[in-house]
Amino acid sequence: MKKYIFLFTLTSALFISSCNTQVKDGPVVGVMADSAMVVSAHPLASQVGVDILKMGGNAVDAAIAVQFALAVVYPGAGNIGGGGFFVIRNADGTIDGLDYREKAPAEAYETMYLDENGEEIENLSRRGHLAAGVPGSVDGMVKAYEKYGSLPWKDLVQPSIDLALNGFELTEREARKLNYNREDFEEYSTVKPFFTEKEWSTGDKIKYEELGHTLERIRDNGREGFYAGKTAEDIIAEMERGGGLITLEDLTSYESIWRAPITGWYRGFKVISMAPPSSGGVALIQMLKSVQDYDLNEMGWNTRESVHLITEAERRAYADRSYYLGDPDFWKVPVKELTDDTYIVERMATFDPFAATPSDSVAEGKFTLYESEETTHFSIIDANGNAVSATTTLNGGFGNKVMVAGSGFILNNEMDDFSIKPGVPNMYGAIGGEANSIQPGKRMLSSMTPTILEKDNELYMVVGTPGGTTIITSVFQVIMNVVDHGMGMQAAVNAGRFHHQWRPDAIRFEETAIDSVIRIELESMGHELYQRGSIGRVDAILIHEDGSLEGGADPRGDDTAVGY
Ligand code: GLY
């Protein structure tokens, strides 16, 4: 029986792979391991995580070390100047969620990105000093360490210092990204960053010396190494030179928060994901529940029927997201109501199996976007079965393009994740209202969806991805690929993806996601379709029936699984 399932999985995986030209070079069966694994956006960061696990560190120790390592080797999204979320499942089955999302500075106000006519000032929430929220990553790592850390703190920060000070070789993608962003760095940073001074090539060695010394201060002084002393002084000086709002008081008062994860069920699997201020957990569970009364396996992978059904589930969840989701410390988010089974059935009552429901006719439900695509995700399981699903971001690639002079790290442009004016889309098309309006000290709504699945009360899958609003639909589709279509982890990650977010009313798809005949059929049902580049970079781990771990490292990036 087991052999049969394996063969089926492999066959479906080969099928997906063979029709997936965009990722055809990706392996169909991922890296396998017996005990522990780290999957992240960069091979050096994954190696750092595994080294920590081999030193006897647990999954949270490794996650902290990977967060810092990504800030060096993957600076477009890895960060100390941004924020993120951890979803944790301990080996004893207890779960936890850490919110280290950025906050609006105390001097922020609702109309700060609008001109005197109430119109959006182009780029103000996206580039430069005013776009930055108060960073949460370092406080988050300290909080995670205080609760779960086991190795000495300095051992978790040191690998990132070594990478920054000793240097490392750039991959082709990373060299290209540094070159591509050069003009923006020159325009928005008040002091020209050293890495704008040359054209980078694959294999070039790069050292981030100022960043290395900032990490040394974090190693030696923990939270104070960032929110006080030289680093804080450099941030404040940068804000003063560039007209930003972050003050010392904002830095001193920043706190990450432990929040109970959102949980729900999908075909007998327990789904554990991030609570608001991320919309990820709520929307993921809404979408899974919306499709679970249908036999997706019988419909087939990305057929006309299944793409249509999934699209309609996504449309309705994103309509709710835009109205109801925001920072729960400022706005009552009706989580229970939005994920209630009866509500979901009512929501799907307007589903027509033969025709698209126009988004104009779908408002948020009643009960009695693109955002940035340069976030990054990592998944970790340690040898004792503890797991961390972590997504972290600067929002846009290299955030607000401002490098903090003297401290050598890049600040986020997370303020654009607020709804800067009700009904006006942010840079990636996401629309919001009052729930996600700017208020001092408020966290901006996120789509980050670090997720863990249980099967029969045991750890089963750790999954997540970058991709702005496409994060939630990517995690949704990868879960269905495994649960409904029997794919292994790597095949599920490789498979083409598509995305609908209510507004704009269109399906965006990777070339390999939807067959050309099916595209025509979907159009005849009233769907608008647009091909786009790759969607997300899913990094995930699946536990097979024999206890072995399969990594799913996304071939759309440099993502790498390392295990033992
Ligand atoms: N900045 C991307 C997100 O939080 O969803």
Side-chain angles (χ1 to χ4, degrees):
M1 182 61 183
K2 210 163 142 193
K3 225 179 229 166
Y4 172 79
I5 291 170
F6 175 71
L7 279 176
F8 172 77
T9 302
L10 204 61
T11 314
S12 55
L14 284 167
F15 166 74
I16 298 305
S17 176
S18 67
C19 64
N20 194 341
T21 51
Q22 193 166 357
V23 294
K24 70 177 189 301
D25 298 331
V28 171
V29 176
V31 169
M32 301 295 298
D34 293 330
S35 305
M37 186 171 276
V38 179
V39 191
S40 85
H42 197 285
L44 292 170
S46 296
Q47 191 58 50
V48 163
V50 161
D51 292 345
I52 293 291
L53 295 178
K54 285 187 172 167
M55 283 163 66
N58 61 34
V60 174
D61 288 325
I64 294 167
V66 172
Q67 169 87 33
F68 286 127
L70 285 169
V72 179
V73 298
Y74 195 70
N79 68 83
I80 55 174
F85 300 100
F86 278 6
V87 168
I88 298 169
R89 184 184 183 279
N90 298 301
D92 64 6
T94 53
I95 59 175
D96 219 341
L98 178 62
D99 162 4
Y100 57 100
R101 182 71 162 161
E102 302 92 325
K103 293 171 71 163
E107 289 174 20
Y109 54 97
E110 195 169 346
T111 56
M112 64 186 276
Y113 299 113
L114 306 182
D115 65 17
E116 59 279 8
N117 301 317
E119 301 301 330
E120 176 192 354
I121 303 170
E122 208 183 330
N123 269 338
L124 203 59
S125 65
R126 297 168 198 169
R127 301 272 192 275
H129 299 67
L130 272 182
V134 184
S137 292
V138 175
D139 187 75
M141 295 311 101
V142 171
K143 282 264 196 332
Y145 181 74
E146 285 168 355
K147 192 159 176 185
Y148 292 107
S150 67
L151 292 182
W153 168 256
K154 65 174 178 34
D155 291 355
L156 310 183
V157 191
Q158 191 61 44
S160 59
I161 297 169
D162 294 340
L163 285 166
L165 296 183
N166 299 336
F168 60 94
E169 285 180 12
L170 288 172
T171 65
E172 188 270 330
R173 277 191 182 84
E174 290 304 305
R176 188 164 18 101
K177 285 196 304 193
L178 283 179
N179 295 335
Y180 180 80
N181 285 282
R182 177 187 300 136
E183 280 176 20
D184 278 345
F185 280 124
E186 287 175 351
E187 182 172 350
Y188 295 106
S189 295
T190 58
V191 176
K192 204 168 148 183
F194 77 92
F195 50 79
T196 59
E197 274 158 23
K198 67 169 276 194
E199 182 84 11
W200 295 94
S201 305
T202 312
D204 280 354
K205 194 165 179 179
I206 189 164
K207 293 183 187 179
Y208 289 97
E209 291 189 6
E210 286 183 346
L211 175 59
H213 296 312
T214 303
L215 289 162
E216 285 177 331
R217 293 192 289 280
I218 294 168
R219 175 196 64 194
D220 297 340
N221 306 307
R223 190 188 187 288
E224 302 297 290
F226 185 88
Y227 297 92
K230 173 170 165 52
T231 319
E233 284 162 20
D234 286 344
I235 296 172
I236 303 311
E238 187 63 61
M239 288 290 133
E240 282 167 4
R241 281 194 303 274
L245 296 185
I246 297 173
T247 63
L248 186 58
E249 170 57 22
D250 285 323
L251 295 174
T252 311
S253 62
Y254 180 85
E255 283 220 62
S256 42
I257 299 177
W258 290 102
R259 298 188 193 271
I262 300 281
T263 58
W265 293 89
Y266 179 61
R267 301 194 201 281
F269 293 81
K270 185 172 177 183
V271 181
I272 305 159
S273 194
M274 194 60 212
S278 182
S279 58
V282 169
L284 175 66
I285 285 168
Q286 285 190 303
M287 294 188 298
L288 289 167
K289 285 188 174 184
S290 300
V291 300
Q292 77 175 347
D293 287 342
Y294 300 84
D295 190 338
L296 280 165
N297 182 270
E298 196 178 275
M299 284 182 181
W301 183 82
N302 287 12
T303 55
R304 177 180 66 77
E305 291 85 353
S306 61
V307 172
H308 175 58
L309 171 65
I310 290 164
T311 297
E312 294 303 327
E314 293 177 354
R315 184 197 309 280
R316 286 158 178 79
Y318 277 77
D320 281 350
R321 177 193 187 276
S322 81
Y323 185 80
Y324 288 113
L325 272 293
D327 181 349
D329 296 341
F330 284 73
W331 173 266
K332 177 150 179 26
V333 183
V335 172
K336 206 165 142 286
E337 289 85 350
L338 286 168
T339 54
D340 177 71
D341 290 345
T342 315
Y343 171 68
I344 300 292
V345 169
E346 279 169 15
R347 204 78 176 107
M348 288 299 281
T350 54
F351 169 66
D352 177 344
F354 304 106
T357 314
S359 285
D360 283 346
S361 70
V362 179
E364 72 283 356
K366 306 283 180 207
F367 20 89
T368 354
L369 356 160
Y370 297 94
E371 290 163 358
S372 166
E373 307 224 340
E374 282 295 344
T375 300
T376 188
H377 177 84
F378 48 99
S379 293
I380 300 179
I381 297 178
D382 70 22
N384 292 320
N386 301 297
V388 177
S389 186
T391 315
T392 182
T393 189
L394 290 168
N395 196 14
F398 298 98
N400 67 352
K401 322 275 185 183
V402 173
M403 196 173 87
V404 176
S407 281
F409 65 90
I410 293 152
L411 283 168
N412 67 82
N413 61 342
E414 219 71 62
M415 292 295 283
D416 193 65
D417 268 350
F418 278 118
S419 167
I420 62 170
K421 183 180 170 186
V424 170
N426 71 4
M427 69 170 143
Y428 299 102
I431 293 173
E434 202 189 332
N436 189 33
S437 63
I438 303 171
Q439 290 180 53
K442 186 176 177 181
R443 285 161 153 86
M444 53 298 283
L445 184 63
S446 172
S447 297
M448 290 187 271
T449 314
T451 297
I452 295 177
L453 260 66
E454 279 179 16
K455 183 183 182 186
D456 302 329
N457 297 321
E458 301 290 338
L459 179 63
Y460 182 64
M461 191 197 299
V462 184
V463 58
T465 181
T469 39
T470 70
I471 290 174
I472 319 172
T473 52
S474 292
V475 172
F476 176 41
Q477 288 167 52
V478 170
I479 291 174
M480 291 184 290
N481 287 347
V482 173
V483 171
D484 293 290
H485 300 293
M487 295 182 205
M489 195 74 264
Q490 189 65 56
V493 168
N494 288 5
R497 296 192 271 267
F498 64 92
H499 174 72
H500 193 291
Q501 60 176 41
W502 178 53
R503 292 205 164 117
D505 187 354
I507 300 172
R508 315 265 160 181
F509 63 95
E510 294 180 325
E511 187 187 357
T512 58
I514 307 176
D515 174 87
S516 54
V517 174
I518 293 173
R519 290 176 209 163
I520 294 165
E521 290 173 354
L522 287 162
E523 278 164 356
S524 72
M525 294 169 80
H527 291 288
E528 228 175 277
L529 285 93
Y530 296 98
Q531 189 175 321
R532 52 158 286 175
S534 62
I535 298 179
R537 305 268 187 283
V538 178
D539 284 335
I541 308 173
L542 183 68
I543 303 189
H544 286 264
E545 267 176 46
D546 63 0
S548 61
L549 311 180
E550 183 189 356
D554 206 318
R556 295 164 180 82
D558 294 327
D559 306 52
T560 306
V562 182
Y564 64 92

